[in-house]
Amino acid sequence: MTALDWPALMRAGLQGLGLRPAEFWALTPAELRVMLGERSGAASLGRDGLEALIRAYPDSQERAEDV
């Protein structure tokens, strides 16, 4: 995990977006990134990815055999 550049994020949120301190601190880093216009991120989980997770982490033995 990389460290967050809090001074830069605070400048962007408080000065750039005009947020009040309480509004800034109520945001998650992901929410702040979206507000700042960041469009990239992890792709949503598709059907193939879900099925792979189900196979890797079955709820029970019966479920693992059904998939």
Side-chain angles (χ1 to χ4, degrees):
M1 176 181 244
T2 60
L4 296 175
D5 183 356
W6 286 109
L9 290 174
M10 290 175 68
R11 277 191 301 279
L14 300 174
Q15 294 174 349
L17 297 174
L19 298 172
R20 293 186 194 117
E23 295 169 328
F24 174 83
W25 290 112
L27 295 171
T28 66
E31 291 169 330
L32 182 57
R33 287 183 184 125
V34 169
M35 291 179 75
L36 292 171
E38 183 178 303
R39 300 280 186 243
S40 64
S44 60
L45 183 64
R47 182 68 182 181
D48 292 339
L50 175 61
E51 289 175 356
L53 283 173
I54 290 170
R55 282 191 301 277
Y57 302 99
D59 291 335
S60 66
Q61 288 298 338
E62 295 86 36
R63 178 72 180 140
E65 294 166 3
D66 292 342
V67 176

